[in-house]
């Protein structure tokens, strides 16, 4: 082992520093010799045992170790780390190797590092080229698929345009028949609301104008709207239900909003008309006619609504029936009954009638036990008229 004094002697000369493996200038050596602490530090470094070069390189993993894949960047980092360790070991610990041998070792290390780095660079370049080729292939595939989609979309749009032209041309041909259908619907739907009739008429006129101008696009548009407008006229039954509902509202009544209840009320109105309309059309002296007259005179708001909606022909009959006289006392003229001749139906029995003054004095009367042809009495304004058991009286003149 080199003692301290011998170390000082070698440090003071260039040859001695070379023997010690120190690459120091005369000035650097003089600075160390001037400081005892630096002399001791460098003496310890030079006197340390020479390291085994094999310990400066990390051993490769054994075959029994678990294999882990390392990316090229990891290889390069690991290699540089190893070179760094080797460099520090050579710089700080290897002191007794001559400068020429040191340069040879360093050149070998640099060569190995250069070859290793070149291999990593080549591998990275190959991998980058493969990735680029795969990316280009994927881009080409996507571009081809997008082009195919665009071509299919263009073809579909072309087909739709062709179908639209064909559809519009057909509509222009069928338009006259559609116009005739609308005119028939208008003529055969007197029950339709004015709004629905006006809407259909306007649409029909627009279609006729499109035909005249050979405007296929609008012809197709209006022909597709016509069926809905015709449906808007509704049916006779729907019109009757609507008028029935409006008549109820006019009477201050409401119709149940639930569909089943509405249908029941509509059915009741139709049934009332089906029962009484034939009776009014029967002979004036028949029991059916008499029964209908009473039904008309006693009609409640729902029966009146039934007349408005389902049997408007009984509207005039209602006014006539209200003018019939039943058993009771009447004043003639003014706000009473109209003066004139009143007759009963035929085949009257046990009928009593009386004309009297307003003070109750009898002017004329009769008790009729049987009257096959009915009873006829003429009353004048300013007198009273009382009847009992004679059935219905109607004004005959």
């Amino acid at each position: 082992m080199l003692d301290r004094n011998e170390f000082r002697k070698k440090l003071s000369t260039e040859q001695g520093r070379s023997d010690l493996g120190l690459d120091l200038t005369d000035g650097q050596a003089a600075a160390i010799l001037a400081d005892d602490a630096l002399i001791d530090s460098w003496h310890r470094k030079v006197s340390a045992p020479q390291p085994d070069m094999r310990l400066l390189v990390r051993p490769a993993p054994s075959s029994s170790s678990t294999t882990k894949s390392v990316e090229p960047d990891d290889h390069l980092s690991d290699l540089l780390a190893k070179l760094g360790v080797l460099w520090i070991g050579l710089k700080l610990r290897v002191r007794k190797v001559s400068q020429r041998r040191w340069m040879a070792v360093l050149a070998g290390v640099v060569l190995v590092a250069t070859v290793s780095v070149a291999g990593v660079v080549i591998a990275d370049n190959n991998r980058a080229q493969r990735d680029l080729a795969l990316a280009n292939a994927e881009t080409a595939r996507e571009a081809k698929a997008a082009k195919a989609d665009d071509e299919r979309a263009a073809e579909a749009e072309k087909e739709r345009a062709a179908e639209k032209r064909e559809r519009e041309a057909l509509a222009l041909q069928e338009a006259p028949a559609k116009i005739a259908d609308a005119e028939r619907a208008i003529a055969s739907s007197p029950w339709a609301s004015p709004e629905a009739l006006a809407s259909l008429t306007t649409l029909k006129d627009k279609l006729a104008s499109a035909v005249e101008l050979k405007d296929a696009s609008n012809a197709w548009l209006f022909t597709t709207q016509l069926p809905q407008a015709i449906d808007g006229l509704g049916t006779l039954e729907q019109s009757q239900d609507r008028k029935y509902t409006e008549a109820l509202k006019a009477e201050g009544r409401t119709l149940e909003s639930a569909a089943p209840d509405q249908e029941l009320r509509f059915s009741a109105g139709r049934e009332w008309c089906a029962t009484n309309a034939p009776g009014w059309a029967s002979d004036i002296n028949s029991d059916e006619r008499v029964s209908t007259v009473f039904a008309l005179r006693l009609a409640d708001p729902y029966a009146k609504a039934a007349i408005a909606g389902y049997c408007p022909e009984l509207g005039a009959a209602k006014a006539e029936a209200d003018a019939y006289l039943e058993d009771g006392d009447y004043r003639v003229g003014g706000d009473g009954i109209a003066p004139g001749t009143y007759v009963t139906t035929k085949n009257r029995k046990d009928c009593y009638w009386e004309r009297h003054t307003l003070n109750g004095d009898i002017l004329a009367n009769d008790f009729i036990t049987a009257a096959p042809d009915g009873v006829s009495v003429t009353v004048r304004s300013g007198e009273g008229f009382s009847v009992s058991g004679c059935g219905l009286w109607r004004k005959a003149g």
Side-chain angles (χ1 to χ4, degrees):
M1 180 177 179
L2 185 66
D3 60 19
R4 192 171 186 275
N5 291 331
E6 187 175 359
F7 170 73
R8 288 173 61 88
K9 292 179 180 180
K10 286 185 175 290
L11 186 61
S12 63
T13 64
E14 183 178 352
Q15 181 59 44
R17 291 193 297 272
S18 178
D19 293 339
L20 293 174
L22 299 177
D23 186 13
L24 298 173
T25 64
D26 291 339
Q28 292 172 337
I32 295 173
L33 292 171
D35 189 334
D36 291 337
L38 288 177
I39 292 174
D40 291 337
S41 175
W42 280 88
H43 179 250
R44 286 193 298 271
K45 292 178 182 179
V46 173
S47 300
Q50 183 178 355
D52 188 349
M53 295 298 290
R54 293 173 297 176
L55 299 179
L56 298 178
V57 181
R58 186 182 302 170
S62 64
S63 58
S64 61
S65 301
T66 302
T67 302
K68 179 180 180 182
S69 61
V70 180
E71 292 295 330
D73 290 344
D74 294 336
H75 280 300
L76 182 57
S77 298
D78 191 40
L79 178 61
L80 292 175
K82 291 177 181 180
L83 290 174
V85 172
L86 181 59
W87 173 263
I88 294 172
L90 291 174
K91 181 69 176 178
L92 298 178
R93 298 190 178 184
V94 182
R95 304 303 182 188
K96 296 184 178 180
V97 181
S98 65
Q99 187 174 7
R100 185 174 296 176
R101 291 180 61 191
W102 161 253
M103 294 302 294
V105 171
L106 181 60
V109 171
V110 171
L111 178 61
V112 172
T114 302
V115 172
S116 299
V117 171
V120 171
V121 170
I122 292 172
D124 286 346
N125 185 52
N126 290 339
R127 185 183 66 176
Q129 289 181 353
R130 287 195 301 271
D131 292 345
L132 180 60
L134 290 175
N136 290 338
E138 180 65 17
T139 301
R141 186 192 66 78
E142 292 176 354
K144 184 177 181 181
K147 181 180 179 181
D149 290 341
D150 291 342
E151 290 175 350
R152 284 193 294 269
E155 187 64 27
E157 181 63 27
K158 185 186 297 184
E159 291 178 359
R160 285 192 294 269
E163 291 174 357
K164 182 174 182 293
R165 288 193 298 271
E166 182 178 353
R167 189 167 57 241
E168 291 176 351
L170 182 61
L172 197 60
Q173 295 176 4
E174 294 178 346
K178 298 294 184 182
I179 293 173
D181 290 342
E183 291 173 344
R184 281 193 295 270
I186 293 171
S188 61
S189 303
W191 59 78
S193 68
E195 296 79 10
L197 288 170
S199 177
L200 179 57
T201 301
T202 300
L203 190 60
K204 173 185 70 68
D205 293 342
K206 287 182 177 180
L207 179 57
S209 177
V211 171
E212 183 178 355
L213 297 174
K214 298 188 183 303
D215 184 353
S217 179
N218 277 326
W220 175 81
L221 176 63
F222 297 143
T223 55
T224 57
Q225 293 176 350
L226 268 180
Q228 183 177 359
I230 292 175
D231 289 342
L233 299 180
T235 62
L236 174 60
E237 289 75 15
Q238 291 171 336
S239 173
Q240 290 173 334
D241 292 343
R242 184 180 66 254
K243 291 179 180 179
Y244 176 78
T245 303
E246 291 172 352
L248 278 182
K249 290 180 179 179
E251 292 288 336
R253 303 300 175 92
T254 58
L255 189 64
E256 295 82 355
S257 58
D261 294 333
Q262 286 183 352
E263 288 301 323
L264 287 174
R265 182 63 68 184
F266 293 153
S267 298
R270 294 189 186 97
E271 184 177 353
W272 190 93
C273 285
T275 300
N276 292 288
W280 182 259
S282 63
D283 185 83
I284 193 171
N285 295 298
S286 66
D287 292 339
E288 291 80 6
R289 176 67 173 267
V290 173
S291 178
T292 298
V293 169
F294 278 107
L296 289 170
R297 289 172 60 84
L298 297 175
D300 62 10
Y302 289 98
K304 292 178 181 178
I307 293 173
Y310 305 114
C311 48
E313 68 276 11
L314 291 185
K318 165 67 176 169
E320 184 177 341
D322 286 341
Y324 275 66
L325 303 181
E326 301 180 49
D327 291 350
D329 298 319
Y330 301 93
R331 180 181 176 178
V332 182
D335 57 356
I337 64 174
T341 300
Y342 289 84
V343 298
T344 67
T345 57
K346 294 180 180 181
N347 300 317
R348 295 295 91 193
K349 296 179 180 182
D350 302 327
C351 168
Y352 176 77
W353 62 268
E354 177 185 297
R355 293 173 50 232
H356 54 79
T357 66
L358 298 181
N359 293 326
D361 297 330
I362 296 176
L363 300 175
N365 66 345
D366 195 2
F367 181 81
I368 302 171
T369 57
D373 295 328
V375 181
S376 175
V377 177
T378 300
V379 295
R380 296 173 179 81
S381 182
E383 61 185 32
F385 184 49
S386 299
V387 293
S388 176
C390 301
L392 293 172
W393 297 76
R394 63 183 178 83
K395 193 174 184 300

